Amino acid sequence: MNRLIRFFILSSTAVILAYLNYLGLEIVGKMSIVICIISMSPFIIMVLIGIPKVDPSRWFELPEEGASSGKAGWEDSGWLPLANVWGVLWRPLLNNLFWNLNSFDSGANFSGDTRDPGKNFPLGMFYGVILVGMSYFIPLVIAIGATDSLQSDWVDGYLAVAATQIGGRWLGAWTVFASGISNLALFQAEMTTDALEILGMAERGMLPKIFATRSPHGTATYGILLGTIVIIGMSVADFRDIVEMLNFTYAISLLMEYAAFIKLRIAKKEVYRPYRVPLNTAGCIAMIIPPCMLTILLMLMARAMTYIYFAASVVLGIILRYAHVNRSKSLSNQELQSVVDSQNVEDTSSVGEQETFIIS
C-alpha cells in the first residue's frame, strides 16, 4: 500500500475513534463489551470444531533446520545475543508476549470511576487475566494441533488461514473481521487509560493544568487530543519497531511501579487501601522479583536504536518537566505578588479613610 494512502487511512481512523472516546466512558465500555463478544465468537467456534481434529504430537515439533536462519541476523542485533536458542527466536517471542499481555496495570486508571473498588476492581482484574490468557492460549493450541502447517507458515494473519482450514472460508473471514474490530476495542481502552493518566498527573500538578480539563462528557479532552497526535505521528513507523520501543518504555514504567509499590508498603503502612495485596513486605518483594527479572531481560534484548529512542524521550521529558516547574513557580510568585499588592492597596485605603475621619 502506498505510504501516503496508509497514513491517511490510519490517521483518519485514529481521529474518528478518538472522537468516540471523547463522547464518554459509558459509550467506550458498552462498545468494548459488544466487540468482545463478536471478536471472541469465531475463536470459540474454531476451538469446538477443531478439538476432534487435534494431533497432540504437533505441539512438540521443532522447526526444521535452518528455518529461521534468514531472520537470525536481525534478531541477533540486540545487546544480549539470544536470537535462536532451542529452535526459538526469543527476541520476537518475548516482545510479542510482552506486547499482548501487558497493560493490566492500566486498569488502575479506572479505579476512581469504579463502584466499590475494593470488591469490583480485584474481581475484574482476576477474570480479565484468565480471559485474556485463555483467549490467546487455547485457540493457538487448537490451531497448531488441528492443521498441517509448518512453523514457517505462521506469519502475520495466519490464524485466519488456520481457521479456514479447520472450519471453512466463512470461519476464516469471520476471524479476520473479529481481529479487525478487536483492535478498535484495544485502541479505545488504551486511549482512555492514557488520557485519564495524563488528567490525573495534571490534577496533581505534574503536568500543565490544561490537561486537567474535562469535556462535558467527563472525558480528558486534552489527554485524548495529545494521544491522537502521538498516534498519528507514529503511524509512519514500522510496526515491529513500534512494538519494541513501546515495550522498552513500558518496561521502565513497570520497574518504577514495582519500586513505588514496595516503597509505599514500607513508608505508608497506615494509608487506607480499598484493596490490599494479602502479603507482608517480604512476600511482596518475593512476588515482584520474577517479573522484574523478565522485564530486565526484555530490555537487554533491545536494539541500540531503541535505547537511543528511550534516551531522547527521557531528555525531552526532563526538559518539559523543568520548563513546567519553572513556569508554575513564576505564576505562583506572580499570584503571590498580586495578593500582596492588593493587600497593600487595601491597607493604604484604610489608612486614608481613617485620616479623613480624623480631619473631619
Side-chain angles (χ1 to χ4, degrees):
M1 181 184 295
N2 181 277
R3 287 190 175 186
L4 185 60
I5 297 176
R6 177 178 179 271
F7 174 78
F8 176 77
I9 293 174
L10 291 177
S11 58
S12 301
T13 304
V15 170
I16 293 171
L17 294 177
Y19 177 71
L20 291 176
N21 202 286
Y22 170 83
L23 294 178
L25 281 176
E26 187 173 352
I27 292 178
V28 172
K30 291 180 179 178
M31 185 178 70
S32 297
I33 293 173
V34 173
I35 289 177
C36 177
I37 295 172
I38 295 175
S39 61
M40 290 301 299
S41 52
F43 297 102
I44 294 174
I45 295 173
M46 183 183 72
V47 169
L48 295 176
I49 297 177
I51 287 177
K53 304 177 182 181
V54 169
D55 178 6
S57 64
R58 294 189 54 79
W59 297 338
F60 306 99
E61 290 182 2
L62 293 175
E64 296 178 2
E65 191 69 27
S68 58
S69 59
K71 302 178 182 178
W74 184 87
E75 304 301 341
D76 203 25
S77 60
W79 295 107
L80 195 62
L82 288 178
N84 190 338
V85 181
W86 303 312
V88 177
L89 293 171
W90 288 96
R91 184 176 170 198
L93 174 64
L94 292 179
N95 267 298
N96 276 284
L97 286 176
F98 197 77
W99 169 268
N100 286 294
L101 298 175
N102 66 16
S103 290
F104 281 104
D105 60 316
S106 297
N109 297 335
F110 295 101
S111 58
D113 298 295
T114 303
R115 299 188 186 93
D116 191 8
K119 175 184 177 182
N120 294 325
F121 184 75
L123 278 177
M125 294 295 292
F126 177 76
Y127 291 126
V129 170
I130 293 177
L131 180 62
V132 170
M134 291 178 62
S135 65
Y136 279 116
F137 182 73
I138 295 179
L140 282 175
V141 167
I142 297 300
I144 292 171
T147 62
D148 296 324
S149 58
L150 301 175
Q151 189 178 34
S152 58
D153 294 330
W154 283 87
V155 295
D156 296 343
Y158 188 76
L159 193 59
V161 177
T164 301
Q165 294 180 11
I166 293 172
R169 295 182 62 182
W170 66 272
L171 186 58
W174 193 359
T175 302
V176 172
F177 174 73
S179 300
I181 63 170
S182 67
N183 284 325
L184 302 183
L186 176 62
F187 181 100
Q188 297 287 30
E190 188 67 30
M191 174 161 282
T192 300
T193 55
D194 291 346
L196 287 175
E197 187 171 10
I198 291 172
L199 183 143
M201 294 173 68
E203 290 178 341
R204 290 175 174 267
M206 300 171 67
L207 290 175
K209 291 182 180 180
I210 189 173
F211 288 107
T213 304
R214 286 182 180 266
S215 71
H217 308 285
T219 49
T221 303
Y222 292 99
I224 293 174
L225 179 61
L226 178 62
T228 305
I229 293 172
V230 172
I231 290 169
I232 292 175
M234 298 192 71
S235 63
V236 298
D238 181 74
F239 180 73
R240 185 174 57 185
D241 295 333
I242 292 175
V243 168
E244 184 168 294
M245 288 188 293
L246 294 184
N247 278 351
F248 192 95
T249 306
Y250 183 72
I252 294 292
S253 69
L254 275 182
L255 294 177
M256 295 178 68
E257 287 178 17
Y258 293 142
F261 169 61
I262 299 300
K263 184 179 186 303
L264 291 174
R265 264 305 184 93
I266 297 173
K268 302 287 184 179
K269 294 181 180 180
E270 72 286 353
V271 174
Y272 169 73
R273 295 168 171 84
Y275 174 75
R276 183 183 178 90
V277 176
L279 295 172
N280 58 21
T281 302
C284 289
I285 294 174
M287 178 184 70
I288 68 172
I289 287 177
C292 282
M293 294 177 63
L294 287 174
T295 301
I296 294 172
L297 176 63
L298 181 75
M299 294 169 61
L300 291 175
M301 296 175 69
R303 295 177 298 162
M305 184 55 66
T306 302
Y307 284 88
I308 295 173
Y309 156 79
F310 174 72
S313 301
V314 171
V315 171
L316 178 61
I318 292 174
I319 293 173
L320 293 176
R321 173 64 177 167
Y322 180 77
H324 170 60
V325 170
N326 283 345
R327 184 174 181 274
S328 298
K329 287 182 179 179
S330 176
L331 291 175
S332 297
N333 291 335
Q334 291 176 9
E335 291 175 358
L336 180 60
Q337 186 62 43
S338 176
V339 171
V340 171
D341 293 342
S342 176
Q343 186 66 38
N344 289 337
V345 171
E346 291 178 2
D347 292 343
T348 303
S349 175
S350 176
V351 171
E353 289 176 0
Q354 293 177 5
E355 291 177 349
T356 303
F357 175 76
I358 294 172
I359 292 172
S360 64

